[in-house]
Amino acid sequence: NKMRFVRTGNAGAMSRTADFSPTPGTLMYQFDVALSGNTAATTSAAVWKVGSSYGTANSAESNANTYARFAMNITATAGQFVLRDISNSTNGANTYSGTQTITWVLNKSGTATTYRAPDGSNESIANDVADIWVGTTREFNDVTIQSATQTITDLKFSWSNGIGTIDQDNFLINPIPAIPTSSAASVITSSSF
């Protein structure tokens, strides 16, 4: 009951090529991920991308078609990984193991917006940047995206380096939901307002 990729060689990929409709201006892409069976450290072993005009080949999509991307570095210790901001060549500060929930927040709305973060706070995110969370830890804050001219209609996951098993599950992909607000109470009675 999970999407499982077992890599011993060659490459594998998953694509969503049916465009989101309407084309979203923001995206909150959340899923659970777990790594096992890895034995050698590999940088950018697996890559997640959002963009347009993606295909179904067992390979990564071109950067020209990619709005944003990030990767998983696998370590030499079985089950351990570090996230990597590929576009800016930066590794995350923490090493993770076990099943982790990744939340990738993207803003292409043309203006700054606010979202409810996994840690319960309200986070502001500028236009054409991304935040990446692992559980309630923000690994990357307002990172520059790959190509601002691209739309966010297609998804791609590819694994072309390293050896091991990556399980993915519980996908939730939506525009950034509006944070509810309330006005001052009025017409206050003993049982209503």
Side-chain angles (χ1 to χ4, degrees):
N1 296 326
K2 297 177 182 175
M3 183 170 63
R4 173 169 281 181
F5 285 81
V6 179
R7 185 173 191 277
T8 57
N10 298 321
M14 174 277 300
S15 302
R16 178 194 160 94
T17 59
D19 290 354
F20 292 122
S21 181
T23 300
T26 63
L27 200 65
M28 188 175 279
Y29 182 0
Q30 189 175 65
F31 59 95
D32 293 341
V33 66
L35 172 69
S36 60
N38 52 301
T39 57
T42 308
T43 301
S44 300
V47 179
W48 288 264
K49 292 186 173 192
V50 173
S52 65
S53 302
Y54 284 178
T56 57
N58 277 339
S59 59
E61 296 294 333
S62 74
N63 290 340
N65 289 346
T66 298
Y67 177 72
R69 63 189 181 142
F70 76 93
M72 174 188 282
N73 293 347
I74 59 178
T75 73
T77 303
Q80 291 188 349
F81 65 90
V82 175
L83 293 188
R84 180 170 176 77
D85 170 17
I86 315 170
S87 298
N88 299 291
S89 301
T90 306
N91 292 330
N94 299 295
T95 300
Y96 296 95
S97 62
T99 300
Q100 299 292 331
T101 300
I102 307 294
T103 305
W104 191 16
V105 184
L106 308 161
N107 183 12
K108 187 176 174 53
S109 67
T111 185
T113 190
T114 302
Y115 67 94
R116 182 70 55 137
D119 67 356
S121 66
N122 292 337
E123 287 293 326
S124 178
I125 186 168
N127 186 53
D128 286 332
V129 299
D131 287 352
I132 303 175
W133 296 76
V134 180
T136 58
T137 301
R138 185 174 53 202
E139 278 296 308
F140 297 103
N141 182 38
D142 288 341
V143 294
T144 305
I145 49 81
Q146 181 66 39
S147 177
T149 60
Q150 278 305 317
T151 58
I152 49 179
T153 58
D154 296 355
L155 308 174
K156 185 79 172 222
F157 167 78
S158 60
W159 191 3
S160 56
N161 296 302
I163 292 173
T165 299
I166 296 177
D167 289 332
Q168 298 177 67
D169 200 5
N170 299 319
F171 292 89
L172 181 61
I173 303 167
N174 281 308
I176 294 174
I179 295 174
T181 59
S182 63
S183 302
S186 61
V187 192
I188 300 170
T189 72
S190 61
S191 61
S192 66
F193 63 88

